[in-house]
Structure formats: structure tokens, C-alpha cells
């Protein structure tokens, strides 16, 4: 089985029992951490017959490991939906690069943009959740009651817009996953399931910030 430290993080905001709403990727990354050329070199493949197939494996491996670690490797835009304001908003889709906007439904039922001067952010540590809370001396504005998804936080996450900015351990782990999937296309067996996860867990241990509550 996958080690517990590599399991997906269950939620973003847990203050006062507020349930975190889903994250939605609105602008996916335009690049992947590894390329087809990287995989061909790693597997010592000279032919290009399977380039399209390998590209598909790269995409699937990237999505799988990102979900396991709750990470975004190359820069993408995400939205977090909340039903009401928590004491502080925590963004666990790491690493958080910036908050591009926060909207909410006011008491009159109008979607309103929260001015950037009304909140403060903390993205000092890329391995810890990003934090957002009201600016000094302020409180969150009033929202209309009993409205789903009335608060939307739009933010960017990722190590950067190019593959070279993704940590080497992440890129090598993806190479191992793709190479394993490329070589073993038969139905799942114990050998197929167990061979890569332990090596992957070791490689990714330095990138996983662990369960946060």
C-alpha cells in the first residue's frame, strides 16, 4: 500500500468545523515536469513510435502524484470554494504562489470582490499551507446566509512555469512511475503494485509536508 504520508490531504479549512469545499483547477499547467525526451533517455529508447503513448503516461503520472501529495508542480490557477468565512483560510494546494482574487456574496445577494487591502497573506514557506486572514484591525465582510460556495478564492500554485523549476526528486519520481507503466502493461499484479511505491515514497519524502490539521 502507499504510505500514509503520501495519501491525499482531506481538507483545506477546518476552523470552527467549517468543511472545506472542493478545489477546482481553472487554468491547467501548460507544461509537464518531465518530457517525452526525458522518458526516452531514462528508458534508453531510441525509437519514437510510442511518443504519443508516453506523453499520455506522463500526464497521468503527473496528475496521480500531484493528487497524492496535494501539490501543483507547474504553475496553474485554482479556485477554492467556501460556504462561509473561517477564522483564517488555508490553501493546501502547494506551493501557493499568489492570491489573484477573493469574491463573496454580500447580504444583498451581489457577488462582490474583496479588495486586496482588506486581507493579508502568508506564503513564506512553500512546504506549508498558504494562509489568508483579514488585514490588521479588520474582519471578514458579512455574507448572505445559507448559500453554497458563496466565497471563492482564486490563486496560483506551482513551483514555476517551466519544468526546470520543479524539484529534481519530483522529476525523477515521475520518470520511475512512467517507466514502470511503460514496461508493465499487463493487468495489475502484486509485483506491479508494490515495486514503484516504496521507491517513490523515499524520493518524495522530502517534498511531502505531511498531514496538516
Amino acid at each position: 500500500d502507499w504510505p500514509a504520508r503520501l495519501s491525499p490531504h482531506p481538507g483545506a479549512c477546518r476552523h470552527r468545523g467549517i468543511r472545506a469545499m472542493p478545489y477546482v483547477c481553472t487554468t491547467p499547467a501548460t507544461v509537464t515536469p518531465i518530457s517525452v525526451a526525458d522518458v526516452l533517455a531514462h528508458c534508453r529508447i531510441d525509437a519514437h513510435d510510442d511518443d504519443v503513448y508516453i506523453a499520455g503516461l506522463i500526464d497521468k503520472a503527473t496528475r496521480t502524484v500531484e493528487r497524492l501529495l496535494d501539490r501543483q508542480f507547474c504553475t496553474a490557477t485554482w479556485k477554492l470554494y467556501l460556504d462561509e468565512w473561517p477564522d483564517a483560510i488555508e490553501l493546501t494546494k502547494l506551493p501557493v504562489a499568489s492570491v489573484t482574487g477573493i469574491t463573496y456574496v454580500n447580504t444583498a445577494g451581489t457577488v462582490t470582490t474583496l479588495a486586496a487591502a482588506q486581507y493579508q497573506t502568508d506564503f513564506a514557506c512553500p512546504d506549508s499551507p498558504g494562509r489568508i486572514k483579514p488585514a490588521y484591525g479588520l474582519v471578514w465582510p458579512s455574507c448572505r446566509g445559507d448559500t453554497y460556495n458563496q466565497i471563492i478564492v482564486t490563486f496560483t500554485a506551482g513551483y514555476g512555469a517551466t519544468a526546470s523549476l520543479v524539484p529534481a526528486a519530483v522529476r525523477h519520481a515521475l520518470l520511475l512511475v512512467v517507466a514502470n507503466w511503460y514496461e508493465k502493461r499487463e493487468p495489475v499484479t502484486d509485483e506491479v503494485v508494490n515495486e514503484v511505491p516504496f521507491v517513490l515514497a523515499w524520493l518524495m519524502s522530502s517534498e511531502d509536508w505531511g498531514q496538516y490539521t
Side-chain angles (χ1 to χ4, degrees):
D1 294 335
W2 288 94
R5 66 184 291 107
L6 290 182
S7 59
H9 304 299
C13 302
R14 296 192 171 190
H15 295 278
R16 298 191 299 189
I18 296 176
R19 180 176 63 88
M21 301 303 290
Y23 287 96
V24 175
C25 183
T26 57
T27 306
T30 57
V31 297
T32 53
I34 58 175
S35 66
V36 172
D38 293 330
V39 174
L40 293 179
H42 177 78
C43 297
R44 299 180 180 180
I45 300 172
D46 295 324
H48 292 272
D49 298 345
D50 290 336
D51 283 7
V52 174
Y53 178 69
I54 291 172
L57 293 180
I58 291 172
D59 182 68
K60 293 177 178 64
T62 299
R63 292 174 181 270
T64 297
V65 179
E66 282 179 335
R67 289 176 68 90
L68 284 170
L69 295 181
D70 218 0
R71 295 264 176 161
Q72 176 64 49
F73 295 147
C74 295
T75 301
T77 300
W78 288 81
K79 291 182 184 293
L80 171 65
Y81 293 84
L82 299 167
D83 292 342
E84 55 184 307
W85 297 112
D87 293 335
I89 299 170
E90 293 174 355
L91 304 173
T92 61
K93 187 65 65 177
L94 303 182
V96 179
S98 65
V99 170
T100 56
I102 300 176
T103 62
Y104 65 98
V105 179
N106 65 21
T107 54
T110 303
V111 175
T112 306
T113 298
L114 184 65
Q118 293 184 271
Y119 59 88
Q120 56 182 302
T121 61
D122 173 22
F123 313 134
C125 179
D127 296 323
S128 296
R131 303 185 295 175
I132 310 170
K133 69 177 183 178
Y136 179 76
L138 300 181
V139 296
W140 294 122
S142 297
C143 291
R144 186 171 63 177
D146 298 327
T147 301
Y148 289 133
N149 303 325
Q150 63 179 320
I151 300 162
I152 304 175
V153 181
T154 304
F155 65 100
T156 58
Y159 292 101
T162 61
S164 62
L165 297 174
V166 178
V170 170
R171 300 181 75 247
H172 190 65
L174 290 173
L175 285 172
L176 291 178
V177 174
V178 172
N180 181 265
W181 288 352
Y182 181 79
E183 293 295 333
K184 298 180 179 178
R185 309 184 193 186
E186 67 273 15
V188 175
T189 65
D190 289 341
E191 179 185 3
V192 173
V193 170
N194 294 325
E195 179 176 346
V196 169
F198 293 105
V199 177
L200 180 60
W202 177 76
L203 282 170
M204 299 306 296
S205 61
S206 63
E207 305 303 326
D208 180 23
W209 55 275
Q211 191 70 25
Y212 186 86
T213 57

